[in-house]
Amino acid sequence: QVQLAESGGGLVQAGGSLRLSCAASGRTFNTNAMGWFRQAPGKEREFVAAITWTIGTTYYGDSVKGRFTISRDKAKNTVYLQMMSLKPEDTAAYYCATDLGVGWGADLKLAAKYDYWGQGTQVTVSS
């Protein structure tokens, strides 16, 4: 079992920044990658970013490229999502997830690839 705890969400004005954190605990020793997804009301869950745990290769959704940065602290079993130049359309519940299998690239953009999910943290961007 792996437990994921997100933090850092909140209300911010358009153009502002937020940093989300996700701390993993439990059986994390075979983590392949961690990712962030988001879901707005009435919309499907959307891939935001992912990072491979060993090497740190990063992947981003088209809508956040150049504005969001994913990183990880292996010693703390924590993944971060630095969000810059936020837009009202970034408003959503943000979920972190961990993949305990193998794979990289396009596979990591699929929600079905991930084994455990956090409860989510709300990000609201006002115009």
Side-chain angles (χ1 to χ4, degrees), residues 8-52:
L11 174 64
V12 63
Q13 288 188 330
S17 303
L18 278 176
R19 187 195 196 206
L20 305 184
S21 300
C22 175
S25 59
R27 298 175 64 84
T28 62
F29 55 88
N30 57 343
T31 298
N32 175 56
M34 292 189 74
W36 288 96
F37 289 75
R38 67 186 183 186
Q39 189 166 19
K43 295 189 176 181
E44 293 187 354
R45 190 162 293 194
E46 177 189 12
F47 170 73
V48 176
I51 186 166
T52 61

Side-chain angles (χ1 to χ4, degrees), residues 61-109:
D62 289 341
S63 61
V64 306
K65 279 180 183 176
R67 300 189 298 123
F68 291 12
T69 302
I70 188 170
S71 61
R72 89 269 193 246
D73 184 328
K74 295 170 71 175
K76 295 182 179 179
N77 283 322
T78 299
V79 64
Y80 304 96
L81 185 68
Q82 179 68 51
M83 305 185 292
M84 310 282 286
S85 303
L86 283 161
K87 305 174 182 180
E89 50 264 44
D90 294 317
T91 295
Y94 283 71
Y95 299 88
C96 73
T98 186
D99 166 38
L100 304 182
V102 295
W104 57 88
D107 283 353
L108 295 181
K109 299 182 179 181

